[in-house]
């Protein structure tokens, strides 16, 4: 018999009180369930008389977004918690600390980041994050390098991969990103005004071919331990600090999937820019800043990854001259293709982004949707031919020029 | 406390006697340990008064070939037994039946194939196997297709892959095939007369680059459940029947690795032909027959695989026109590269083959060694550029012409 049950706020407070060394002895604790998500309860435990606080995240055994009919293994709570621990060990500055957990009750108690902003919201609000590209570049380089055959013992990597078999969460990605947008599916969701775009996606055989290749990589390329869902809603920021959260989709997959998630979400925000008027800043400048950010993310990742490779490589054959360049070009190509897939699915698939859906004006929102699709399709279509991040940005420019959207 | 200990012949007989429905009631059983191998005890249990017999194969916790200092997990006995069961379910004609097993004692009791010949020996003796290409082509197509994301539920495949984490045995392959031949290593073994070849292998950077790519595929491309060691010593044959045994190296890896093992071993025998004079048959005919067999193995695999794909595909995106052709070309390229790696390692690495080492005349043996290396290197060097199995055979011809070996 499992002791699992959804926690109440009272139970969350009791768990927090039992935590050694976090709250002062006489602290009066309050608790609020703040989960907006689809898969979890999130309890925010605070004190009345001090700044101390924690988060208790508990998995529920189904996906809320599609009702209780989509069952999900609670095993993902263990996978998320162990991923946080590995990522925190590799990048203590960029990942919240885990204080305690229960695999049976599927909860993790961790550092509270409520003084941070969710990056998606920050970007929508036009806030600049000058340290972000450097931080995420380092996070990606360290977490991907040190969990790959390049940076960790290759026998231990196999054992570790065996503990990150994550079929339920992988299936969400396989369906929602690599299949539904390209066919008629009850999971898809978009307004009638872009039915022409959805139909074009369903009939675009050359595009399906490239998606099939990327899907195969997601299914079989066991390259490194991924975060697995690294969109801008899984990133907490201040102008000085960056924290990556929610790695419940973690599994061993292609490095480019994580990098592509970051790039794709920056480009979704880029595509949405003409729809937002809350800032007096020049539109062109904001768009250029976002494209510059895409470039910087890749460049910081690449230079960090190369220096880890030159310092800590464990694979002798990978020292072969030319192999590092080849490897990184392949990762960039994958990242480009995955970025495109992630943009497309956020327009016609089940799960959308506030950057686009939050645009109030119907015409402006539709323009942003078409722009995001044009960019996404161009990235998917040509991902295997690019050689540098400038090529990636050229694909973005060409896509927006082609459909006549001024930038 | 583990009950594991190496079985005695007396214990093997007792296990055989307990087996329901295999031996007649009054059978008098004899037992002989016949393991010539490096990793296992093999007990052949026969009767004095009938044709009934079985094999009991037990794993030992070390690799004999390098002394007791190379420890090996007994877990491989479970992996081998479960692989046999899966392969037997998919191809009952081509895989021995498992009667009983103990994971604790790391043994499997299975069908005796002593009326068969080990294919390597048969090929050395110049025997023809007219059904072999068809049988192995079907075996490869069925075992690889139905354990891949093309032919099995993609969530169940992930769970299954988690039960085939096989780090000890994979490490043997990683070291002996994808690293040692390209550097100075105590594991390497070859005569002084080909030191020039060994040195050339150590210094050939473009070759190392291709080997690094193939090694990365072996390490990360979790495509299907492989046999993992499908050389002609793991294949038992009669002119009418073919059985694949010993899948203890099984793990989820690139399909081309199994296909390349078969092709590489046929080509090792091809390279050895001028050294064998036990037959009056025309040498050119025998060589051509072996090259024809390589072609037939691929063609039977390909046509079986395509018909399984057209019949039982579970992956919707893989129905995209053109994707099947692309997929099979990639498998052929991988198979070509892996075949080359396997040829090279059998000449300069730890473990050799009787096809070559059994040649008595020193000069003829050296010629065969150089021929095998020339072919192997050419396959590795150009594997990414071929499009058909005829291209593969062209690489074989070019390699043998280049070094002036007449065929």
């Amino acid at each position: 018999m499992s002791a699992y049950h959804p926690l109440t706020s009272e139970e969350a407070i009791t768990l927090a009180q039992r935590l050694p060394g976090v709250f002062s002895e006489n602290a009066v604790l309050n608790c609020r369930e703040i989960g907006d998500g689809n898969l979890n309860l999130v309890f925010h435990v605070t004190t009345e008389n001090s700044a101390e606080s924690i988060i208790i995240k508990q998995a529920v055994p189904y996906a809320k977004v599609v009702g209780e009919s989509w069952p999900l293994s609670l095993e993902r709570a263990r996978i998320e918690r162990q991923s946080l621990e590995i990522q925190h060990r590799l990048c203590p500055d960029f990942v919240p600390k885990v204080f305690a957990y229960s695999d049976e009750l599927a909860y993790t108690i961790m550092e509270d980041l409520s003084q941070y902003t969710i990056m998606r919201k920050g970007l929508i609000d036009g806030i600049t994050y000058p340290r972000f590209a450097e931080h995420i570049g380092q996070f990606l380089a360290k977490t991907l390098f040190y969990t790959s055959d390049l940076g960790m013992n290759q026998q231990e990597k196999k054992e570790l991969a065996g503990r990150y078999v994550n079929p339920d969460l992988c299936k969400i990605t396989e369906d929602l990103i690599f299949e539904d947008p390209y066919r008629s599916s009850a999971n898809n969701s978009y307004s009638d005004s872009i039915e022409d775009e959805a139909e074009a996606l369903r009939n675009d055989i050359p595009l399906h071919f490239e998606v099939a290749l990327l899907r195969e990589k997601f299914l079989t390329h066991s390259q490194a331990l991924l975060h697995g869902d690294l969109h801008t809603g899984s990133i907490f920021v201040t102008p000085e600090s960056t924290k990556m959260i929610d790695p419940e989709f973690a599994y061993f997959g292609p490095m480019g999937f994580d990098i592509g998630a970051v790039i794709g979400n920056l480009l979704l925000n880029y595509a949405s820019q003409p729809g937002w008027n809350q800032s007096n800043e020049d539109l062109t400048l904001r768009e250029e800043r976002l494209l510059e950010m895409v470039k910087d993310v890749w460049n910081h990742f690449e230079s960090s990854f190369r220096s880890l490779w030159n310092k800590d490589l464990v694979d002798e054959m990978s020292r072969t001259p030319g192999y590092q360049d080849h490897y990184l070009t392949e990762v960039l190509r994958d990242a480009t293709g995955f970025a495109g897939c992630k943009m497309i699915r956020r327009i016609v698939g089940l799960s959308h982004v506030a950057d686009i859906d939050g645009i109030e004006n119907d015409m402006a929102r539709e323009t942003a949707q078409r722009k995001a699709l044009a960019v996404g399709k161009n990235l998917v279509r040509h991902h295997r031919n690019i050689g540098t991040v400038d090529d990636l940005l050229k694909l973005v420019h060409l896509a927006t020029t082609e459909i006549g959207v001024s930038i």
Side-chain angles (χ1 to χ4, degrees), chain A:
Chain A
M1 290 294 288
S2 166
Y4 179 83
H5 62 274
L7 293 175
T8 62
S9 290
E10 291 67 39
E11 288 174 300
I13 287 176
T14 307
L15 290 172
Q17 278 164 337
R18 282 192 206 141
L19 219 55
V22 173
F23 293 100
S24 326
E25 215 166 299
N26 303 319
V28 179
L29 300 187
N30 290 323
C31 178
R32 213 154 54 94
E33 206 283 298
I34 56 167
D36 67 334
N38 313 320
L39 317 169
N40 304 288
L41 297 172
V42 181
F43 299 94
H44 187 208
V45 182
T46 54
T47 54
E48 279 182 9
N49 34 15
S50 81
E52 291 146 2
S53 62
I54 54 155
I55 288 289
I56 303 179
K57 181 172 176 180
Q58 185 185 34
V60 293
Y62 50 82
K64 274 199 273 185
V65 70
V66 284
E68 301 203 14
S69 59
W70 193 328
L72 284 178
S73 162
L74 293 173
E75 175 82 345
R76 72 184 192 278
R78 175 194 61 77
I79 286 177
E80 174 172 2
R81 187 257 308 166
Q82 291 186 331
S83 298
L84 283 173
E85 289 171 336
I86 288 177
Q87 291 166 354
H88 187 267
R89 182 168 52 72
L90 294 169
C91 304
D93 290 347
F94 303 140
V95 179
K97 189 171 164 48
V98 169
F99 297 121
Y101 64 89
S102 160
D103 287 340
E104 197 174 22
L105 286 163
Y107 70 73
T108 302
I109 309 184
M110 68 186 103
E111 196 181 339
D112 175 28
L113 300 173
S114 53
Q115 71 279 33
Y116 284 68
T117 305
I118 294 172
M119 188 173 182
R120 189 179 306 287
K121 186 174 178 313
L123 288 177
I124 291 171
D125 292 342
I127 299 171
T128 60
Y129 296 103
R131 308 292 308 278
F132 170 72
E134 184 193 338
H135 291 169
I136 192 91
Q138 282 183 24
F139 171 83
L140 290 166
K142 286 188 183 166
T143 57
L144 298 177
F145 179 84
Y146 286 114
T147 60
S148 78
D149 290 297
L150 301 167
M152 85 175 282
N153 176 287
Q154 297 171 353
Q155 277 38 65
E156 289 169 19
K157 181 211 166 204
K158 293 173 179 62
E159 303 279 12
L160 191 66
R163 296 198 289 278
Y164 285 86
V165 175
N166 199 355
D168 288 4
L169 283 276
C170 283
K171 182 161 173 58
I172 295 178
T173 304
E174 289 157 21
D175 287 358
L176 300 189
I177 299 185
F178 295 113
E179 189 169 315
D180 290 336
Y182 308 99
R183 59 169 194 166
S184 295
S185 164
N187 290 331
N188 289 338
S189 159
Y190 52 84
S191 66
D192 289 347
S193 63
I194 59 164
E195 175 58 44
D196 61 316
E197 294 275 8
E199 191 187 348
L201 283 172
R202 289 198 293 273
N203 297 324
D204 190 337
I205 303 299
L207 189 75
H208 292 193
F209 183 88
E210 300 299 325
V211 173
L213 294 178
L214 290 159
R215 178 178 167 90
E216 201 267 347
K217 286 222 171 180
F218 184 85
L219 286 167
T220 66
H221 197 196
S222 187
Q223 202 172 20
L225 179 58
L226 306 189
H227 178 286
D229 193 29
L230 201 52
H231 59 82
T232 44
S234 297
I235 302 173
F236 275 26
V237 278
T238 68
E240 299 77 34
S241 174
T242 311
K243 301 270 185 185
M244 272 48 84
I245 63 163
D246 289 354
E248 63 202 321
F249 285 74
Y251 86 111
F252 275 76
M255 296 181 180
F257 189 75
D258 272 2
I259 305 164
V262 176
I263 290 174
N265 277 273
L266 291 176
L267 290 175
L268 282 164
N269 186 266
Y270 160 80
S272 79
Q273 282 300 326
W276 297 96
N277 299 305
Q278 75 282 43
S279 152
N280 294 321
E281 193 186 351
D282 183 75
L283 174 63
T284 309
L285 277 182
R286 289 183 60 169
E287 289 179 330
E288 279 176 6
R289 197 174 65 223
L290 283 158
L291 296 182
E292 200 61 35
M293 211 184 222
V294 167
K295 189 168 166 169
D296 289 347
V297 166
W298 174 261
N299 285 336
H300 278 289
F301 163 74
E302 180 180 344
S303 66
S304 287
F305 197 84
R306 284 187 191 272
S307 74
L308 297 175
W309 185 311
N310 297 336
K311 185 165 69 79
D312 285 339
L313 184 71
V314 300
D315 188 71
E316 285 306 311
M317 289 307 292
S318 297
R319 290 188 205 285
T320 306
Y323 184 67
Q324 186 187 97
D325 289 346
H326 175 92
Y327 194 101
L328 277 158
T329 303
E330 288 297 311
V331 172
L332 175 63
R333 288 172 177 165
D334 291 354
T336 303
F338 289 129
C341 289
K342 290 190 157 254
M343 294 182 75
I344 292 167
R345 76 96 164 210
R346 292 294 195 178
I347 306 300
V348 299
L350 176 69
S351 179
H352 290 208
V353 291
D355 317 56
I356 305 269
D357 280 22
I359 298 172
E360 287 192 8
N361 179 284
D362 287 349
M363 187 110 66
R365 190 170 61 251
E366 185 183 322
T367 303
Q369 289 167 338
R370 291 183 187 273
K371 188 172 174 178
L373 285 175
V375 171
K377 287 195 288 186
N378 222 30
L379 296 184
V380 172
R381 236 188 268 289
H382 302 292
H383 76 278
R384 288 189 290 155
N385 301 321
I386 73 168
T388 65
V389 69
D390 284 329
D391 294 341
L392 188 164
L393 293 178
K394 246 179 253 165
L395 291 177
V396 176
H397 281 298
L398 286 172
T400 49
T401 310
E402 200 185 320
I403 62 158
V405 178
S406 72
I407 54 165

